[in-house]
Amino acid sequence: QPCWSEYLTTRIEQNMVVNCTCPISECRAQPTTAFIYSIVSSEEIIAKYEKALLRGYVECCSNLTWCTNPQGCDQILLKDGLGYGAACSKCSWISCFNCNFPEAHYPASCSHMSHMTCAKCNHGFCWRCLKPWKPTHKDYYNCSAMVSKAAWQEKRFQDYNERCTFHHHAREFAMSLRNRVSSVSEMPKIRTLTFVLDACKVLEQARKVLAYSCVYSYYNQDTESMDIVEQQTESLELHTNAL
């Protein structure tokens, strides 16, 4: 029993217990949950084992996923229907169900948010950090495309990137403002500030849509449809700034 206890404890601590087998090389039997409970006595190790079981179950279910809130959240989300994401009932973060991007990014598509590839030289790069997927390629704009076109594309990218970054920072400001207002509203003799909190939430959502609208606009070249999108985006930005 001491040998089994040490073996299982090590496997649990190394996150390798779900698929572990008997330590005898010829034996492929896997220890059952009941057997592990009877061998391992540490409550801390058992808690880690149960977390490993839950993590393994979620990863095996195509309709389940973890909340992707970068601040940390242990909530499990159900992929219900054809929606791209849903608000977490615990932290209200909206995750994307169809790609690895950490949050829902409407109106930008999942392909806009993930691995980008240069149509001319097949160079791959990350939209978020702009670092190359293939380190051997030095610079996205050093491909065989015309220099003037590359310079124009770079300027266009910088313009949209600056707008996108601005809206992300403005969204963080709205979140910070909501947190400060929440703390003030809890003080005695302060009248209700619910309307201010609601306004901050609207600001957060509007800045998020504006940020990802920049991504959407950058990757879409259809002049006729983009004129309408730009007009709507400009109107939303105008009202958001006023709010």
Side-chain angles (χ1 to χ4, degrees):
Q1 181 168 337
C3 294
W4 266 108
S5 178
E6 183 176 352
Y7 171 70
L8 292 174
T9 298
T10 301
R11 286 285 178 168
I12 293 172
E13 290 180 335
Q14 294 176 345
N15 292 321
M16 299 172 61
V17 68
V18 175
N19 296 318
C20 80
T21 58
C22 175
I24 299 177
S25 58
E26 295 81 8
C27 181
R28 307 307 301 168
Q30 293 184 328
T32 64
T33 299
F35 179 75
I36 292 176
Y37 282 150
S38 67
I39 295 295
V40 180
S41 58
S42 171
E43 294 182 1
E44 180 181 355
I45 299 300
I46 288 298
K48 289 183 179 180
Y49 170 64
E50 292 174 344
K51 286 183 179 180
L53 286 181
L54 180 60
R55 184 168 57 250
Y57 177 75
V58 172
E59 292 174 355
C60 288
C61 294
S62 59
N63 64 332
L64 296 179
T65 187
W66 295 99
C67 175
T68 57
N69 190 334
Q71 301 299 322
C73 180
D74 58 359
Q75 190 77 348
I76 299 172
L77 306 179
L78 174 65
K79 300 178 183 179
D80 188 14
L82 299 177
Y84 285 93
C88 174
S89 61
K90 184 175 181 179
C91 68
S92 299
W93 184 263
I94 303 179
S95 305
C96 180
F97 289 161
N98 293 333
C99 71
N100 294 325
F101 197 74
E103 68 174 346
H105 41 72
Y106 180 85
S109 68
C110 293
S111 62
H112 292 158
M113 308 310 300
S114 56
H115 184 183
M116 300 294 103
T117 303
C118 174
K120 186 70 177 180
C121 66
N122 292 322
H123 166 61
F125 66 98
C126 173
W127 160 256
R128 291 291 287 176
C129 66
L130 302 184
K131 292 182 179 179
W133 290 83
K134 296 180 179 180
T136 54
H137 197 312
K138 295 180 180 180
D139 188 355
Y140 168 55
Y141 293 106
N142 284 341
C143 60
S144 57
M146 293 176 59
V147 175
S148 58
K149 183 176 180 180
W152 176 82
Q153 287 283 12
E154 182 174 9
K155 178 61 169 63
R156 183 171 179 270
F157 172 80
Q158 291 296 338
D159 290 342
Y160 277 104
N161 186 52
E162 288 178 5
R163 288 170 56 188
C164 183
T165 301
F166 168 79
H167 290 304
H168 276 305
H169 288 165
R171 178 186 174 193
E172 292 174 357
F173 169 79
M175 295 170 65
S176 175
L177 179 62
R178 178 162 61 90
N179 292 333
R180 297 206 307 270
V181 173
S182 297
S183 62
V184 171
S185 64
E186 295 175 357
M187 298 175 62
K189 298 181 180 180
I190 298 294
R191 66 178 183 174
T192 178
L193 297 175
T194 303
F195 71 98
V196 181
L197 293 173
D198 290 342
C200 290
K201 292 178 182 179
V202 172
L203 276 177
E204 292 175 36
Q205 184 63 24
R207 290 298 182 186
K208 177 181 177 181
V209 172
L210 285 169
Y212 292 125
S213 292
C214 294
V215 181
Y216 177 84
S217 298
Y218 176 76
Y219 284 105
N220 286 274
Q221 305 287 335
D222 187 342
T223 305
E224 184 176 351
S225 63
M226 284 311 301
D227 285 342
I228 299 175
V229 173
E230 291 289 353
Q231 290 175 7
Q232 293 176 335
T233 302
E234 183 178 352
S235 177
L236 175 60
E237 185 169 1
L238 181 66
H239 287 85
T240 302
N241 291 338
L243 179 60

